[in-house]
Each structure stands twice: as structure tokens, then as C-alpha cells.
Amino acid sequence: MPELPEVETVARQLRPLLIGRTVRSLRILDPLLRNGRTPRLGGRPIRGVRRSGKRVLLELGPAPGRSRPLCLAVHLRMTGRLIWRPSAGSVDHLRARFELDRGALLFVDMRRFGTFDWYPSAFAAAPTGIDPLAREFTARRLDALVDGTRQDAKAWLLRQDRLVGLGNIYASEILWASRLSPRREVRSLDRGERRRLHRAIRRILSRAIENCGTTFANFQDAHGVEGSYQRFLAVYGREGERCRRCGGAIRRIVQQQRSTFFCAACQR
Ligand SMILES: [Zn+2]
């Protein structure tokens, strides 16, 4: 499932390709994607492409002489991909096709869990949680967010109403980098441990974005290329292998029906 770095990668790659283009038409081929009434897009300029939480936002201006701006939020879920194509051609699992004045934007999704949601603006599409890469996410803000919370660290990192965009892979990696056990109750973290956690969240996500995300099963970027951060994974998917920090064995446990990978020797 694409997490923050993968979605950020797609948004960054699409931005220079799409901004300034005009949409000629949108064809939705899969009825599951018709969420309410699909607006008419012909003549709308693409004004912005960005990530919001785990969704890609396409900000569309009004068509000439009428209508209001509009924002489409695309959630890739398990296998959704937004792919830019300079020319026509067929692809498998095509669910929607945006015809542009130059090229086309395709939404391809084998498992069909991806969604389209329409909003009047990007502001209206904003999630409730804070973005871990936003300037407002300071160490002090983290303190305020964890204070008094009786929840283990792994489950807390996955809560989208606190921090948006983290999933199973990066939660495990962040806890390893912070030397914290995924089972630690967050309210028990002392000041130094919270600082470590804050720094690790920013560092791991930034590094993953620099490497165009992680491809474990399905992720491909806007050009159909896989991410490369899987080379740097310290714990995720490494059960039974040696910890790169202390040589201990990486273990896998199940928390909230999902796998957590960690080193019991150096994560306390
Ligand atoms: Zn270790």
C-alpha cells in the first residue's frame, strides 16, 4: 500500500507534466469510481498537483466563461497508479483516462480499491491529522499529540487523525531508527525518546522520498518505474535476519492484525 513517500513521489513527478495543461475530457471506465455525479472537466486547466496525506490532489481551474474551481482527490489504496502518457496506447486495468491538450493521465488499478473524491478546493480536501513533513510538525507538537495517550507506539503512528500518511512499512522503520519498541505506550516516552521519534519520522520519510519510495509488491511511480528505498529497509520484511545496528535477530509480531518488524535487542 503506498504511504506518504510513494504518494509524494507520484505528485512530484506529475506536477511538471500536468500543471498548465488543459483537460479535454475525463472518461471513467469503472463504475466503482463514479462517486456521486462526475463533473464535466472539458476546458479546465490543471493548476496544482500535490499530496495531501496519502492522496494525490489535482487542482482544476474553472472552464472558460463558467463554473468554479474543483479539486479531485485520488486515493491509490493497494494497487492504484497515476501514469502520464505522452501519446495514445492501451494499458491493462485502466479505470479512468484524462485526455489532456497534450498527452493523457491514466488511472490504472488492478485491485480496484482506489477512489476518486471531488471537492470544491484543496482546502476542503485537507485531512484532520497533521502532515509529518509540514513545518508545523515540531518536536513540541509531537509532545502535545502523544501526551496522555494510552496506545502502543506502532498503533499510534498508524492513526491518521494524529499524523497522516504513515503505514506499516514506515512505522516499523521509524521505530527501529528511534530505538523504540513498537509495544511502548506512547505516554511513557520521555523527552529524549520523543525527540528521537520526531527526528526519525522526518528523516526516514525524507530519505524515502529522495529514493522515490519503496516498492515491495506493487508500487510504481508516474513513469511506471519502481521505487528504490527497499534497499534501505532496516527491519520491514527482514524477519530472522540480523539487525544492522546490534546484530540481534529481527522479529515479526502482529499488532492490530498487521505485521510489525523490530529488533527486540536494541528497541526498548
Ligand atoms: Zn538491534
Side-chain angles (χ1 to χ4, degrees):
M1 172 114 145
E3 302 179 30
L4 184 154
E6 290 76 40
V7 180
E8 179 70 31
T9 296
V10 171
R12 285 185 185 187
Q13 292 177 338
L14 289 177
R15 198 171 297 145
L17 297 168
L18 297 184
I19 288 186
R21 297 267 68 83
T22 300
V23 182
R24 283 205 178 128
S25 63
L26 164 62
R27 256 178 64 214
I28 293 187
L29 300 143
D30 183 346
L32 281 179
L33 271 189
R34 283 199 194 99
N35 176 8
R37 201 189 302 161
T38 301
R40 295 176 70 88
L41 300 190
R44 287 181 180 272
I46 302 177
R47 290 195 168 154
V49 181
R50 56 168 135 158
R51 177 187 61 79
S52 172
K54 288 188 202 173
R55 301 192 292 182
V56 176
L57 303 187
L58 290 185
E59 296 175 89
L60 303 166
R66 60 183 186 87
S67 73
R68 297 168 184 211
L70 192 62
C71 178
L72 169 63
V74 180
H75 204 312
L76 305 174
R77 302 282 175 196
M78 302 285 288
T79 56
R81 289 173 195 163
L82 282 168
I83 302 168
W84 186 79
R85 285 288 171 90
S87 56
S90 66
V91 291
D92 287 341
H93 311 296
L94 181 64
R95 298 184 68 203
R97 182 182 180 98
F98 298 78
E99 221 55 65
L100 309 175
D101 57 341
R102 203 172 75 209
L105 176 66
L106 312 182
F107 182 61
V108 172
D109 190 0
M110 189 177 63
R111 301 279 300 272
R112 301 172 71 204
F113 289 122
T115 55
F116 278 11
D117 290 290
W118 300 93
Y119 296 91
S121 66
F123 181 76
T128 42
I130 184 168
D131 195 285
L133 296 180
R135 197 172 298 169
E136 310 91 88
F137 180 57
T138 57
R140 191 177 289 191
R141 188 70 181 269
L142 178 82
D143 276 339
L145 290 172
V146 300
D147 247 358
T149 307
R150 304 182 64 143
Q151 197 165 30
D152 65 50
K154 166 79 184 311
W156 188 84
L157 287 173
L158 295 185
R159 278 179 76 147
Q160 303 296 307
D161 63 334
R162 293 296 186 271
L163 295 180
V164 286
L166 297 177
N168 229 20
I169 294 178
Y170 296 106
S172 286
E173 294 298 309
I174 285 165
L175 289 168
W176 181 83
S178 332
R179 304 196 305 278
L180 295 171
S181 163
R183 293 186 279 216
R184 273 291 289 285
E185 218 173 58
V186 284
R187 64 174 185 169
S188 77
L189 300 176
D190 66 28
R191 203 183 153 79
E193 290 170 330
R194 289 178 189 194
R195 290 282 179 282
R196 271 184 358 233
L197 180 60
H198 178 259
R199 234 176 302 146
I201 290 170
R202 307 270 285 207
R203 195 177 63 232
I204 297 278
L205 294 175
S206 302
R207 226 176 135 207
I209 291 168
E210 283 164 24
N211 287 279
C212 298
T214 300
T215 298
F216 218 78
N218 288 297
F219 173 68
Q220 289 186 352
D221 67 20
H223 306 296
V225 176
E226 301 194 333
S228 60
Y229 191 71
Q230 56 276 16
R231 289 182 289 150
F232 301 103
L233 295 176
V235 283
Y236 189 85
R238 296 190 67 234
E239 184 182 13
E241 294 178 37
R242 295 263 150 238
C243 170
R244 288 178 190 149
R245 187 163 50 212
C246 75
I250 303 298
R251 290 181 51 198
R252 185 181 76 90
I253 56 171
V254 175
Q255 293 177 292
Q256 300 174 299
Q257 294 93 48
R258 301 170 80 182
S259 293
T260 303
F261 297 88
F262 72 112
C263 171
C266 67
Q267 287 180 250
R268 299 294 174 159

